[in-house]
Structures are given as C-alpha cells and as structure tokens.
Amino acid sequence: MSTTELLKGAAELFPDEVVTSAHVRHLDLPFGAGRFALITLDNGFDHTKPTTFGPASLANLNTAIDQVEQEAAAGKIVGVGVTGKPFIFAVGADLKGVELLKNHDDALAIGKGGHEVFKRLSALAVPTFAYYNGAAMGGGVEVGLHCKYRTVSKALPAFSLPEVFLGLVPGWGGCTILPNLIGADKAVSVIIENSLNQNKQLKGQQVFDLGIADALFEGADFLEQSLIWTAQVLKGDVEVERPVIDRGEAWDQAVARGRFIADGKVHGAAPAAYRALDIIAAAKNGDLQQGYDAEDKALADLIMGGELRSGIYAFNLVQKRGKRPAGAPDKSLARPVTKVGVVGAGLMASQLALLFLRRLEVPVVLTDIDQERVDKGVGYVHAEIDKLLGKGRINQDKANRLKALVSGVLDKAEGFADADFIIEAVFEEIGVKQQVFAEVEAVAPAHAILATNTSSLSVTEMASKLKNPERVVGFHFFNPVAILPLLEIVRGEQTDDAALATAFGVAKKLKKTAVLVKDAPAFVVNRILTRFMGEIQNVIDEGTPVEVAEKAVEPLGLPMSPLVLLELVGPAIGLHVSETLNRAFPDRFTVSPNLAAVVKAGKRGFYVYSAENGFKPELDPEVAALLKQGDVVLTEEQVRERVLDAVAQEIGLMLDEGVVAEAQDIDLCLITGAGWPFHLGGITPYLDREGVSERVNGKKFLAPGVASVPA
C-alpha cells in the first residue's frame, strides 16, 4: 500500500483531527549560497494549541515533500528546512486519534505512515535542516532527527521524547536514530530516564549540549541566524563534526542502566520502557530500517494494550478534567481575595503561607500561640524567598516585595480583621480546630472564607458551633505542598456556593488541581491509602514477613513501597488517620497494635538506612523486636489479591456514597495527590484490567473504551 493510501485510510478513522499544514516557501540564502525551500508546520491556531501530527497532517507534510523532492531533483534548490509556527515546532502524534484505534492493523498504519513520510527527508537529493524554534516533543523531535542538520533556539522551553511516560515508544525514528546520533547512554537518558522522571523536559541549551542539535542561537532572531548558519554549512565554511559513537561495551552498559532505571520506576509493571530498550539495544548495528520496523511493531502492540490507554486517560484527566473540576459552582460567585490569614506557624502553615504569597502576591499574615513560633514561621518564608533569589528564579526587587507582604502577629484580631481568606493548619484534633474557628469568626470580616487543611476530620462538625457555618470549606493540601498538585476541596453540609466558588478560584491561582469532595471521613486519598496500608499492616500483624508484604505490591509500580510511604507521612499521622477511619468504619479499618507500638517507641519508621548497604531500606532491629506477629503466612500473590480487593471494595463504597462525582475523580486524586502511576491511569483502570473490580463489586468502574481499547 502506498503512503498516500495508508494515510487516507488512517484519516478516515480520525475525522476530528486538528490538521497541521506544511507550507513551502522559497528564499535566497545569504552569501549567494542558493535557493532554499523552507517548510513551516502550522495548524492555524496560536501557541496555546500546539501543532500535532495526525494522518491528514502527515499527508500534508508528504505533499510538501513531493514538491521539494521534484525541485531538488531538478536542481532548483540547494537545501530544505523544516520549522514551526511561533513558540511551537511540533509536539508529536495527535493522541486523540490513537484513542480511537480498534485494531492492530490500523495501529501499525500509524507507525508506518510516520516513518514513510519522515524518512523521505533524509532521502532528498539535497541536505535537510530542522530548526527547533519552539516546543518539540515526540514526533516533533523525530521529524527533526530525520534531517541531516539541526539548530535549536536558546529560548526553547520544552523538548522531550515523552512516549515511555505515556505507555508508548518513540516510534517514528526516536529509538533508532537518537542512539546512533548521540550514543546509547545519552539516548537512554532522554528516552527512558527523563520520561520516567515525571516527563522531564530539556531546554534549548541542553539539547545542544547533548549533541542533538548542531548549533544554538538566541530566540529573538533564531530563524535568521539558522539560515545564515545553513548558508555557511552549504558553502563548506562551517563543518559539522559529530563524535564517533561507541558501539562496544558502552552501548550494552547504557541499555543495562536503562533497565535498572525502568525496574526502579515501574518494577516491570508497564511494558513501554522495556520495548524501547529492546529497540535501542538492537540499534547498535546502525541498521536504521530494521529499527524502524521494530518501532512500528512495538507501537502497534502498545497502542492495542491497556497501559497506553491508561496513560492517555491519565493525561486527559490531568490536562482536562483537572482544569475543569466536576461539580464546581459558577466561578462568577467567587469573592476577591486581597489578604490571606494563616492560623499556625509550624512547617505546614509556613509552607502554605509561602505558596499563597508566591501565587497570589497579596499580604499574608501568620498567627500562633507565642512570638517565637510566629518569628520562626515568618523566618522560614523569608529563607525560602532568599533561596529562590539565589537560584535566579526571582530578582531582588521581587524578593523584597514578597518579603514585605508576609508578616506575623500574636493577636488574631489585629491580623485577620481585613482578611478575605483564612486557613488553619493547627493540630489535627476536632476540639482544637473548633476553638480556633470560634476565635477567628469573632474577629474576621463577615465575607471572609474560613478554610481548614484537615486531612481526615469532619468539616461539618468543625463548623457546627459557628454563627456562619456556610463559609467554612475544606482545603486539604498534600505534603510537600510545593510539589504535589492535588487540593481536595471539601463541601461541608452547610457550605454555600460562594465559599466553594471562592475556594476553587483560589485553588486555580495557586495552580493546584482541585477536586470537589463530599465531607466524608478522610476524604479521598487518605481513605484509599489508609485502607491500602491497613491491609498491608494486617497481613504483617497476622504473620506474613515484612519483605513479602512489601514486595507483593511492587507490580503496581508505585513510586515507593507502602512502609517507605508510611515513613514519609509519619507513623503517628498514619496511626491517627487509621483511628479516625476505624471510628467511622470499624468493620473495614483496623488499628494495628504493631503500628501503635512503633509510634509509642518514637520510631520514625520501620526501616534504617546505612551507607554500607547503599542506603537501601533494612528492617530496623529495634522495630523487629517490637513486632508481635501471628502464624498466618501468605504468599506475595495472596497479599496482593487481598490488598487490591480491599481497595476495590473501598472505592466502590466511596462512589456509592457520592464522595466524588465519578471514578475519574478518584484516579485524578491518586495521580496528583499520591503520585500513583500515570501508566496505570491511577487505580480504577488497573483494577478493571486485572479483573478485581468485577470479582469484588460485580462490575467495572469505567465504561468500555475509557482507559481501554474500544470494543
């Protein structure tokens, strides 16, 4: 089948594609270097809608190459360049089209289509150049790899091959050409390590330093400078030298390093990284066509697998649902926030003060029970601003302005009389929280929103003794506040729409992913994690060795093991949340006597770390001595089944109770609040795929075609 027929067939499967044009224009290069053809990729929208490649877009590029191929053969041009619209080069395949594919042959056609078009660039009778003027990802990076030369803009903000992050491989030449261009080790960093490191992006300078681009120019006159350089290359005044690639042991070591990284991140639970590494390993012989064929097959297999569908589902949750929260009231009801109050000046309160200060740039005032604590809280914020200044993230003027906006007082009346939004971050005890809110209500203006950062207590109960309980809202952040995007916004029974709308408005300014949650014990993330951890703790208490219980959930590919997570959260907080949930649901949530003993002994976790052991977690002998275990020993498989069954049951009950609008919100919460793996799509697609949902609840959480291949 010809490339044209291949793409025509693919385009019919994808009628809603945002089509990218490939405009050809001609210009005379400087220094009399000759007539040059420049192809510009442009979808007709501004930079907020990046250029992508679907079947019709590839067909347009193919047509443009038809034209320049004839011109090159006829000697009418001396070279061909490819560039993008302002701020965007191209960001890869259009994933909306990938979701629609239902069979292996159609998926194979997408891989082959990209290869057949891009390959023609390297086969032209004249040299080809890619000018990475703006964001370039996936297929955007790969179209440039097929050119003979590449330049990159210093202003380029984001450059990556993110496919492995989503559950794919760089399948239009990335796995094959990149290691042959810059060596296997650097290619593994770009394709595997950066991808699995939360899709880390490269900047223009790094692209040049890695040897992906041959020249680096300022953003302001990037294209002009690139064309001058092109003329010099074509005239022979500039010679591009590339390093000799080590195809010996270094190549094998690089692939082994990639496998080690993949094992550490996904524990064999997702196939994409391993498929990419197989292709990189095979690319050692420099046979490009063999590599392209392997990419096509891997792409088709992965497109028809659950992990990619889950990856795209997770991507859409974060990018779309996360930006338009389900159930949020009309934003026109939100009140302006011109001053923020923070009750407490401990570490959590200080982190919150810093975040509000940096994002809202309004006065922020902290209060606490003594001057020393207040000073420490304000001091923390000042020190963090100084760090930002030291790293060049803000200038001196901004640092001075931010420092001037933060203050601390002992008297709540003095601090909060003109505050619009007051958040408490004090001890997690209902009586303490009620007292704090009573004191704040007495001095705050009538319109002020009163927010609580509680992780598990009832917002309704907290507000129950106030004159105006309707303005109290749950505003639950996750630690570390600066890093985890999730904000659970909790509607108490009395909370009104204005308070809720204001909370969502503030969340947006804080650049957080807000999810509306019903006022139910421990809300979403902590309830699921506590059930998950509780079941692990139960099997340990009953007699399963700690290492077996921990290893059992490795196939989930979580960012850390359950007991390492417990260490991060703090055993005392873990115990407190399990006690709260045990009071609410005694039949399902237990309080582990072993965990209580660990907390009582003042231990920070179950493990110790030593340099001799490479800082790997080892069971603390003092903790081992505290553990009282029964004699029921389960296998890893039995532990995993028990844990997953418990989680599936809990999520089913939460959806029945209306804790969130849909299963999608559960996944959004776990991805953004607990670092749950993107490639699993959160938790519900995994439970559906493994048959757990039906075994426990008699039905799947998600409709067919949502995070799975359409029927």
Side-chain angles (χ1 to χ4, degrees):
M1 192 189 290
S2 75
T3 306
T4 311
E5 288 168 332
L6 197 68
L7 293 172
K8 191 166 181 281
E12 282 165 10
L13 297 171
F14 185 19
D16 298 328
E17 177 185 349
V18 177
V19 180
T20 297
S21 305
H23 308 287
V24 181
R25 64 187 170 111
H26 295 87
L27 42 97
D28 291 315
L29 289 171
F31 316 125
R35 192 97 172 128
F36 189 75
L38 182 66
I39 299 172
T40 304
L41 305 169
D42 190 347
N43 61 4
F45 292 90
D46 71 9
H47 66 279
T48 57
K49 199 162 205 165
T51 304
T52 51
F53 292 119
S57 307
L58 286 171
N60 284 341
L61 179 57
N62 201 44
T63 304
I65 297 172
D66 284 341
Q67 180 187 336
V68 297
E69 186 179 58
Q70 287 168 359
E71 292 169 354
K76 290 179 181 170
I77 53 173
V78 294
V80 175
V82 181
T83 193
K85 66 183 184 181
F87 309 109
I88 306 287
F89 182 76
V91 298
D94 193 321
L95 292 175
K96 293 196 294 297
V98 173
E99 283 176 277
L100 303 171
L101 298 173
K102 294 181 183 178
N103 65 63
H104 198 273
D105 285 350
D106 291 339
L108 202 59
I110 288 288
K112 279 195 184 323
H115 273 132
E116 293 306 318
V117 176
F118 290 180
K119 258 177 13 191
R120 297 182 65 198
L121 286 166
S122 53
L124 291 175
V126 293
T128 46
F129 297 78
Y131 307 130
Y132 290 126
N133 64 302
M137 293 169 207
V141 168
E142 289 169 306
V143 72
L145 291 177
H146 284 269
C147 295
K148 187 169 183 185
Y149 303 103
R150 284 158 295 283
T151 67
V152 67
S153 165
K154 269 189 190 171
L156 181 142
F159 182 104
S160 65
L161 289 170
E163 287 82 354
V164 167
F165 177 65
L166 292 169
L168 277 173
V169 299
W172 285 342
C175 287
T176 304
I177 301 173
L178 195 63
N180 279 294
L181 176 70
I182 61 172
D185 197 60
K186 289 176 180 174
V188 163
S189 294
V190 176
I191 294 169
I192 307 296
E193 190 171 14
N194 289 357
S195 229
L196 292 178
N197 195 358
Q198 291 301 318
N199 191 19
K200 186 179 168 209
Q201 301 292 323
L202 298 167
K203 301 266 194 287
Q205 182 73 50
Q206 294 166 298
V207 174
F208 174 68
D209 292 344
L210 281 165
I212 299 171
D214 304 304
L216 175 74
F217 299 113
E218 292 293 344
D221 56 352
F222 170 70
L223 189 57
E224 195 183 332
Q225 293 301 324
S226 292
L227 291 169
I228 291 170
W229 181 83
T230 298
Q232 292 169 323
V233 170
L234 291 171
K235 283 176 71 83
D237 299 337
V238 167
E239 214 169 305
V240 173
E241 288 180 17
R242 298 203 178 117
V244 177
I245 302 301
D246 186 334
R247 298 181 186 278
E249 204 177 310
W251 195 290
D252 302 334
Q253 282 171 350
V255 173
R257 181 174 78 89
R259 292 192 196 285
F260 179 75
I261 292 165
D263 287 344
K265 290 285 189 181
V266 300
H267 308 283
Y274 302 98
R275 291 296 292 267
L277 287 161
D278 289 344
I279 301 168
I280 293 169
K284 185 177 171 181
N285 63 10
D287 183 339
L288 296 183
Q289 190 52 52
Q290 173 196 317
Y292 299 160
D293 293 342
E295 287 175 355
D296 287 342
K297 178 155 187 354
L299 214 50
D301 291 350
L302 292 165
I303 285 172
M304 298 316 292
E307 277 81 7
L308 170 69
R309 305 299 171 135
S310 299
I312 294 175
Y313 164 79
F315 186 76
N316 288 337
L317 285 183
V318 173
Q319 294 297 324
K320 293 176 184 164
R321 194 179 186 93
K323 292 183 170 59
R324 288 191 284 281
D330 191 320
K331 58 177 183 272
S332 66
L333 298 170
R335 296 175 185 148
V337 174
T338 59
K339 183 178 180 181
V340 173
V342 181
V343 186
L347 184 58
M348 189 67 178
S350 305
Q351 286 185 65
L352 295 180
L354 179 69
L355 181 71
F356 279 95
L357 183 66
R358 286 195 64 200
R359 296 278 184 248
L360 272 58
E361 294 192 19
V362 299
V364 175
V365 60
L366 297 114
T367 66
D368 212 317
I369 51 174
D370 59 51
Q371 193 63 46
E372 191 185 340
R373 290 177 201 222
V374 169
D375 292 345
K376 195 176 170 189
V378 174
Y380 168 87
V381 176
H382 280 199
E384 290 298 312
I385 292 168
D386 285 335
K387 280 186 200 166
L388 293 168
L389 177 65
K391 288 179 186 164
R393 304 267 293 278
I394 56 174
N395 60 25
Q396 187 66 58
D397 185 44
K398 179 99 177 252
N400 295 346
R401 203 165 69 247
L402 290 176
K403 282 185 184 176
L405 285 170
V406 66
S407 61
V409 293
L410 286 175
D411 181 5
K412 291 188 181 69
E414 182 192 337
F416 298 157
D418 55 350
D420 309 299
F421 191 96
I422 301 161
I423 184 165
E424 69 72 29
V426 298
F427 186 67
E428 194 72 349
E429 213 286 304
I430 194 76
V432 176
K433 305 256 193 201
Q434 285 177 330
Q435 185 193 335
V436 160
F437 271 150
E439 290 170 8
V440 170
E441 187 180 49
V443 298
H447 70 271
I449 306 301
L450 309 184
T452 168
N453 183 43
T454 181
S455 59
S456 60
L457 301 174
S458 166
V459 175
T460 304
E461 195 182 337
M462 222 176 282
S464 61
K465 298 182 176 172
L466 298 178
K467 289 196 275 299
N468 298 105
E470 70 280 355
R471 57 178 171 156
V472 176
V473 64
F475 212 64
H476 178 218
F477 289 88
F478 288 78
N479 220 343
V481 169
I483 294 169
L484 289 173
L486 180 64
L487 190 48
E488 290 178 335
I489 295 187
V490 187
R491 180 173 210 151
E493 282 170 27
Q494 310 281 331
T495 309
D496 65 17
D497 281 355
L500 212 53
T502 306
F504 275 101
V506 169
K508 191 169 186 178
K509 284 188 179 143
L510 294 175
K511 298 188 177 169
K512 292 293 178 188
T513 300
V515 176
L516 180 61
V517 180
K518 186 179 162 184
D519 187 17
F523 317 126
V524 177
V525 174
N526 284 342
R527 178 160 163 189
I528 293 169
L529 286 185
T530 305
R531 185 77 200 272
F532 174 80
M533 303 282 281
E535 217 47 59
I536 297 265
Q537 202 72 59
N538 288 345
V539 300
I540 292 171
D541 293 355
E542 289 162 20
T544 299
V546 168
E547 59 276 12
V548 174
E550 286 265 86
K551 239 179 124 46
V553 292
E554 267 191 4
L556 282 168
L558 297 169
M560 61 189 77
S561 74
L563 293 182
V564 173
L565 175 66
L566 181 69
E567 212 167 285
L568 187 74
V569 171
I573 293 174
L575 181 66
H576 176 79
V577 178
S578 66
E579 287 167 345
T580 302
L581 282 158
N582 171 256
R583 284 194 294 275
F585 311 113
D587 55 325
R588 301 194 308 280
F589 288 85
T590 50
V591 177
S592 160
N594 280 324
L595 179 58
V598 168
V599 172
K600 192 177 173 194
K603 302 301 281 181
R604 292 183 56 186
F606 277 64
Y607 293 128
V608 285
Y609 302 85
S610 65
E612 302 90 85
N613 191 30
F615 297 102
K616 288 195 183 88
E618 283 178 284
L619 190 61
D620 182 341
E622 291 177 23
V623 169
L626 291 171
L627 296 182
K628 291 186 169 59
Q629 291 182 282
D631 51 13
V632 179
V633 180
L634 302 182
T635 64
E636 284 179 26
E637 223 156 273
Q638 289 169 318
V639 172
R640 187 161 57 248
E641 187 171 308
R642 224 173 102 171
V643 171
L644 292 176
D645 283 7
V647 170
Q649 181 195 30
E650 204 57 42
I651 293 171
L653 291 164
M654 287 165 74
L655 291 170
D656 290 346
E657 290 168 31
V659 175
V660 287
E662 290 182 289
Q664 279 87 332
D665 292 312
I666 300 260
D667 291 317
L668 182 58
C669 284
L670 285 174
I671 291 164
T672 55
W676 212 272
F678 223 79
H679 59 261
L680 297 183
I683 181 69
T684 67
Y686 180 81
L687 295 171
D688 284 355
R689 218 166 44 237
E690 296 293 313
V692 182
S693 318
E694 286 176 277
R695 183 171 72 233
V696 175
N697 300 323
K699 61 180 183 192
K700 289 186 171 180
F701 287 115
L702 300 167
V706 178
S708 57
V709 177

